[in-house]
Amino acid sequence: MDPTGAASAKLRSGLVVGPGQNVFALPARALRSAEQGKQRRGCMDTMAWLTIAVFAITIIVVITNVVDSTVAALIGVSIMIWIGVMTDVDAFGLVDWNVMAILVSVWIIASYFGKTGVPSWLSVQALRLSGGRPGLLVMILSVLSGVISMFVDNVVVILMMAPVALPLARALKLPVTPLVLMIGFAANFMGSAMLLGDLPPQMLHSVAGAEFMDFFWQHGRPSSFPILMVTFVITLAAMYAYGFRGYGRQVVDIERIGIETRIPNKLFATIVVGWFLLTVLGMAMRQTLGVKLGFIAMTGAVTLVLLLELLGDRVKAPDFEEILAELDWRAIFFYVALFALVGGLERMHLLDLLADKLRPIFTESYALGATLMYWLTVPIVGIVEHDAYILTFLRTIKDLQADGVEPWPLWWMLLWSGTLGSNLTVAGAPALYAALNICQREENRKVSLREFLSWSVPFTLVAAAVCYVLGMLIWVLPFVK
């Protein structure tokens, strides 16, 4: 027998043996290894389906509000841990604590801001500026809410602005529901214009590394702030023509409205506003300072608390315990659970599989892929809590980079469509749920779905259409190869 031929046969069959090895044992070993591999893949497939089921059921429960959304999210994480998707240590590590530090720190500063009297004073100035024209007042309050929400969480903005807007509505005989809903739409709308205002831009910082100034100008072109601001102005103009132009001018005695017309403690207000501006400046200089955004925000919040505590009665600031009590701890725990839930999908490589399915769309036609993603996102986030959806697809788009797909236009289009589409129903954004509760409590009636949609649908469609055109022209089409 030709030894060379035998060696070649062994090589072809993969049976290369060394000293002391039994050549007849190798096929059995190879078979056992293959069977073990199949078993592992079978286990992975089973675990992947279990992970998808847990994630899907959790999101459905969150949407339908069968139980509290925070409880549902935490239970979903617990189930993933118990079935072995991740360990408890893994779940803790999957949370982006930098983002959570930004969120909590900004909320603390915003809580102090809400007690300075500045929001009430600004509302009175809005009434004066409107000249007693109810429709114009609604637009001014919407702009004011949108601007504040670029720095403050949108739920906080609504809780801050609605109580001072209600007396104005009564004085001008203006229906409460359209006014408060417009404040809610505006606050939810502009939260993604800058890095501070809402969770989605903070998640973009976490996943893609977007810095504070990137929201103004990036890659030689305008980005989130200018594009959303132009969209905002056009949308408000359309809504004014749609539902607020017909209200006649009225004479109002501002002193009898029942709103504080001056800032009661100017020292307290000056310190809070000044400290917040310093914190924003520090966050804008993050790359120069070389520390995390969460650390800068936390430093701003902690030093503000310390300063106010040291000044004591001279500023008459609320107790820190009172500020902590006003934080939305349910939302904080929900966001913590959200990071762990999406992290569970990532650990099972399910986001990789999703990216593989989407990759041909973007590689064959980048503009078509961006368009489909944008217009599918708008209705989906109207019924799905938009933070979970945006975080999932931010990470999915990141996985598309392996095939040379440019991620930034897609990241921006996802952020904008995910934010604007969430104004469609109360299921998409917690801020609208808070606004709707205020409307129903003030008017002592249930606001029907039809009435809500009569305001939310035109607002969302106009905003989404305008932003799509701007996003395609400025971001997507220049990157088409």
Side-chain angles (χ1 to χ4, degrees):
M1 181 181 288
D2 180 7
T4 305
S8 300
K10 289 178 183 178
L11 285 171
R12 285 193 300 272
S13 63
L15 304 178
V16 181
V17 298
Q21 288 183 312
N22 185 346
V23 67
F24 299 105
L26 287 176
R29 289 179 188 174
L31 286 172
R32 282 199 301 272
S33 177
E35 288 174 0
Q36 289 170 355
K38 288 181 180 178
Q39 289 174 355
R40 282 196 298 269
R41 285 194 296 273
C43 290
M44 287 295 290
D45 289 342
T46 302
M47 190 64 71
W49 282 112
L50 282 173
T51 305
I52 293 172
V54 172
F55 183 83
I57 292 171
T58 302
I59 295 301
I60 290 171
V61 173
V62 168
I63 295 168
T64 56
N65 205 27
V66 175
V67 297
D68 183 86
S69 59
T70 302
V71 174
L74 290 172
I75 290 174
V77 174
S78 299
I79 293 173
M80 282 191 179
I81 293 171
W82 282 112
I83 66 177
V85 174
M86 54 188 167
T87 66
D88 51 348
V89 177
D90 292 334
F92 187 86
L94 288 169
V95 178
D96 194 322
W97 295 107
N98 178 51
V99 168
M100 298 311 302
I102 298 171
L103 198 64
V104 174
S105 301
V106 171
W107 275 359
I108 289 173
I109 300 175
S111 296
Y112 280 113
F113 175 73
K115 297 181 181 300
T116 60
V118 173
S120 298
W121 180 82
L122 289 172
S123 295
V124 171
Q125 305 314 307
L127 178 59
R128 287 175 174 154
L129 185 61
S130 71
R133 293 183 286 272
L136 182 57
L137 175 65
V138 174
M139 297 302 114
I140 295 173
L141 290 177
S142 298
V143 170
L144 186 58
S145 301
V147 170
I148 294 175
S149 75
M150 291 191 293
F151 305 93
V152 179
D153 179 78
N154 46 33
V155 176
V156 177
V157 173
I158 292 169
L159 298 178
M160 187 187 300
M161 293 298 298
V164 296
L166 293 177
L168 300 181
R170 297 189 203 105
L172 293 177
K173 298 180 178 60
L174 182 67
V176 167
T177 296
L179 171 60
V180 176
L181 288 183
M182 283 296 295
I183 289 174
F185 296 150
N188 197 46
F189 185 117
M190 291 301 291
S192 290
M194 291 174 61
L195 182 56
L196 302 180
D198 203 359
L199 187 64
Q202 293 164 20
M203 292 189 299
L204 183 63
H205 166 73
S206 170
V207 174
E211 298 292 349
F212 187 89
M213 296 307 297
D214 288 333
F215 284 78
F216 295 87
W217 193 266
Q218 188 194 48
H219 296 325
R221 64 195 76 242
S223 55
S224 200
F225 175 80
I227 288 177
L228 285 184
M229 186 59 75
V230 171
T231 303
F232 189 45
V233 172
I234 295 174
T235 303
L236 289 184
M239 292 303 294
Y240 177 79
Y242 169 77
F244 298 98
R245 186 171 51 183
Y247 290 98
R249 184 171 182 172
Q250 299 184 33
V251 178
V252 179
D253 186 351
I254 295 177
E255 300 298 329
R256 294 184 179 180
I257 292 177
I259 299 179
E260 184 65 60
T261 58
R262 61 183 182 85
I263 298 174
N265 190 330
K266 292 184 179 179
L267 177 59
F268 173 53
T270 301
I271 291 173
V272 172
V273 173
W275 218 259
F276 186 58
L277 292 176
L278 285 175
T279 303
V280 172
L281 179 62
M283 296 179 79
M285 298 174 62
R286 188 205 71 81
Q287 289 175 293
T288 303
L289 296 174
V291 293
K292 296 284 188 179
L293 279 176
F295 179 73
I296 297 172
M298 184 176 65
T299 301
V302 170
T303 52
L304 174 61
V305 173
L306 177 62
L307 178 61
L308 293 175
E309 290 291 320
L310 291 175
L311 290 174
D313 292 337
R314 279 177 287 180
V315 293
K316 298 178 181 178
D319 292 334
F320 183 52
E321 291 82 359
E322 182 182 344
I323 296 298
L324 286 179
E326 291 185 356
L327 293 182
D328 191 345
W329 291 103
R330 289 172 60 257
I332 292 169
F333 280 109
F334 175 75
Y335 293 144
V336 168
L338 178 62
F339 276 109
L341 281 170
V342 177
L345 293 182
E346 197 167 30
R347 284 184 65 83
M348 298 305 298
H349 304 288
L350 295 173
L351 298 184
D352 295 338
L353 294 175
L354 181 59
D356 289 339
K357 297 294 183 183
L358 295 176
R359 188 172 285 115
I361 300 174
F362 292 102
T363 53
E364 292 174 13
S365 177
Y366 193 74
L368 176 61
T371 298
L372 289 174
M373 181 192 70
Y374 186 95
W375 286 111
L376 287 175
T377 296
V378 170
I380 289 174
V381 296
I383 57 174
V384 174
E385 210 291 323
H386 71 298
D387 295 320
Y389 179 93
I390 291 174
L391 178 59
T392 302
F393 276 88
L394 283 174
R395 291 182 174 173
T396 302
I397 292 170
K398 188 174 184 177
D399 290 335
L400 293 174
Q401 288 182 275
D403 268 7
V405 176
E406 175 56 45
W408 275 107
L410 302 180
W411 273 328
W412 287 124
M413 295 293 276
L414 173 68
L415 182 71
W416 298 331
S417 58
T419 299
L420 303 183
S422 66
N423 270 329
L424 199 57
T425 73
V426 294
L432 299 184
Y433 182 73
L436 188 64
N437 283 341
I438 292 171
C439 295
Q440 294 181 151
R441 185 171 62 249
E442 176 65 19
E443 296 190 329
N444 195 26
R445 68 181 180 90
K446 183 176 178 62
V447 177
S448 68
L449 177 61
R450 181 177 181 180
E451 181 181 358
F452 181 90
L453 293 177
S454 70
W455 295 103
S456 68
V457 170
F459 189 99
T460 301
L461 289 180
V462 172
V466 173
C467 192
Y468 169 76
V469 172
L470 294 174
M472 290 295 290
L473 292 176
I474 297 173
W475 276 95
V476 176
L477 294 180
F479 286 88
V480 174
K481 296 177 182 180

